[in-house]
Amino acid sequence: MFNRPRRNRKNASIRSLIRENSLGVDDLIAPLFIIDGKNKSEEVSSMPGIKRYSMDLLLKEVKELHDLGIKCVSLFPALDDSLKDKHASESKNPDGLLQRTIKEIKNKFPEMLIMTDVAMDPYSSDGHDGLVDENGNILNDETLDILVEMSLNQAQAGSDIIGPSDMMDGRVMAIRSALEEEGFNNTLIMSYTAKYASAFYGPFRDALDSAPKSGDKKTYQMDFHNSTEALREIHADEAEGADILMVKPGISYLDVIRDMKSSTSLPVAAYNVSGEYAMVKAADEKGWIDGDAVAYEMLVSFKRAGADMILSYFSKEMAMKINKLN
Ligand code: PBG
């Protein structure tokens, strides 16, 4: 035999020398859930290990992430139902929970990048990402005005990266134009470019109590039977001024990540979503898998598929693991 692939695997040293991909702490973005109040933390029951924090405790969490070497957090406010309405008005409140939190984090950790989600659902009494008319239709162009205001408001509060997760047509263009006009030419847009209508978002909707009150999100989020359709979204977001493109969910969509990476010169992000986290934690709790090892393998698979960065609820524990390995 001339060809013995096992020669290149014969010990840890040669394996590390030929290794094609690696996971670093600086690949990771940590999503965080915020609640109002003081000294409050609440477990998200479908996401063991993940909590909603009041701002004081959230700052401690951000400090720990910062000390671990994590460079970016993505913030999601969990609002009381009394603050939700049809037009997501609370998203425009300059003193809202999210806005206050952005300012506090920027104040204490100026170099920590803050990413904020742009979509109506956490603020909407309908639980949809867009404006709902009396027949249950999600109105595209009317929603854009709200998304633009939301984005400007987040940029004003100090958000570094605006993350439109709503899947309305033309949102990146609308947001980019407004940011340029208002002097926020250094604010990035990480677009949820290929965001699928997915059952993997269940635990996240528990965390924010943001599930749609009626209907589903299939008229705006993509049909998971499709992959070529993602190319159309990629071309649109590139032309409209996005800085980073994202695929979501992640683990069942590695083919889409690969396609995206080979069809754009922009950086590609993957969102390892709540349901993917929950499945690993549940099986780990039952003793059926080694959750830590499976999580690491999952995150490396995103890198192998071509992702430049990963949003994951595993970010903190993986950063601890990676720091220990190094
Ligand atoms: C809001 C939004 C969702 C997620 C991120 N931003 C939920 C949804 O679209 O229903 C999901 C994140 C996750 O499941 O971890 N538009």
Side-chain angles (χ1 to χ4, degrees):
M1 266 189 268
F2 287 103
N3 228 332
R4 288 185 184 271
R6 287 188 56 192
R7 273 197 291 269
N8 282 353
R9 301 177 201 135
K10 75 173 185 178
N11 59 34
S13 302
I14 186 66
R15 287 197 297 274
S16 75
L17 209 55
I18 67 154
R19 188 156 294 150
E20 298 171 42
N21 297 287
S22 63
L23 181 69
V25 175
D26 48 12
D27 296 320
L28 301 173
I29 299 174
L32 295 171
F33 299 119
I34 327 162
I35 46 171
D36 214 355
K38 268 209 172 77
N39 198 24
K40 261 173 66 177
S41 72
E42 300 169 354
E43 291 274 352
V44 180
S45 55
S46 48
M47 301 177 76
I50 296 295
K51 293 184 176 136
R52 309 179 192 91
Y53 293 108
S54 59
M55 201 200 299
D56 45 349
L57 298 185
L58 189 94
L59 285 168
K60 286 191 184 151
E61 183 68 10
V62 172
K63 179 172 178 0
E64 286 180 31
L65 295 169
H66 176 265
D67 291 347
L68 284 164
I70 288 182
K71 307 282 191 301
C72 182
V73 292
S74 176
L75 303 178
F76 297 96
L79 299 180
D80 195 76
D81 272 351
S82 62
L83 291 172
K84 301 183 182 182
D85 64 18
K86 239 192 140 36
H87 292 88
S89 316
E90 181 61 15
S91 67
K92 290 183 266 178
N93 178 358
D95 293 316
L97 178 62
L98 176 68
Q99 291 77 356
R100 281 183 280 128
T101 309
I102 298 171
K103 287 181 196 151
E104 248 343 276
I105 298 178
K106 273 284 144 195
N107 211 351
K108 297 228 160 56
F109 308 100
E111 71 282 12
M112 178 64 93
L113 291 170
I114 297 182
M115 170 170 173
T116 47
D117 222 55
V118 168
M120 288 175 65
D121 52 336
Y123 314 92
S124 154
S125 45
D126 293 309
H128 272 287
D129 296 17
L131 195 58
V132 186
D133 77 4
E134 58 282 0
N135 301 318
N137 299 314
I138 313 297
L139 303 173
N140 193 86
D141 299 14
E142 292 79 351
T143 299
L144 294 184
D145 298 335
I146 297 172
L147 300 176
V148 162
E149 287 208 51
M150 198 183 298
S151 305
L152 285 176
N153 185 287
Q154 294 175 355
Q156 259 143 19
S159 176
D160 300 286
I161 306 175
I162 301 296
S165 72
D166 54 283
M167 291 303 277
M168 296 300 124
D169 293 333
R171 74 257 167 85
V172 173
M173 165 103 75
I175 294 168
R176 174 58 75 210
S177 313
L179 289 172
E180 284 290 316
E181 267 164 39
E182 298 299 321
F184 296 107
N185 46 324
N186 279 325
T187 304
L188 282 83
I189 297 178
M190 184 193 297
S191 179
Y192 287 67
T193 299
K195 175 170 179 178
Y196 287 86
S198 169
F200 283 99
Y201 307 150
F204 174 95
R205 294 177 189 169
D206 292 343
L208 297 191
D209 189 21
S210 63
K213 295 288 182 294
S214 66
D216 54 41
K217 300 193 174 185
K218 290 181 182 165
T219 67
Y220 46 107
Q221 298 179 346
M222 285 174 56
D223 179 348
F224 57 76
H225 300 84
N226 303 342
S227 60
T228 323
E229 196 183 356
L231 295 175
R232 199 168 168 196
E233 297 286 353
I234 293 169
H235 295 143
D237 284 356
E238 280 184 329
E240 294 177 27
D243 301 286
I244 301 171
L245 306 182
M246 190 209 289
V247 176
K248 175 179 178 198
I251 216 68
S252 295
Y253 296 80
L254 295 177
D255 56 324
V256 182
I257 296 173
R258 170 57 64 89
D259 287 350
M260 186 179 282
K261 185 63 188 170
S262 54
S263 19
T264 183
S265 54
L266 291 175
V268 171
Y271 200 141
N272 176 215
V273 298
S274 57
E276 300 169 12
Y277 176 86
M279 290 194 302
V280 175
K281 287 291 173 186
D284 178 74
E285 277 178 9
K286 282 191 172 279
W288 290 349
I289 58 170
D290 175 348
D292 188 52
V294 167
Y296 181 73
E297 190 175 327
M298 271 189 174
L299 296 199
V300 169
S301 76
F302 288 123
K303 294 294 302 289
R304 199 179 60 236
D308 298 293
M309 67 199 86
I310 307 157
L311 292 95
S312 174
Y313 303 95
F314 289 114
S315 286
K316 188 181 185 186
E317 35 181 309
M318 284 302 120
M320 289 156 78
K321 185 187 173 83
I322 295 164
N323 288 343
K324 231 180 268 158
L325 290 175
N326 291 332

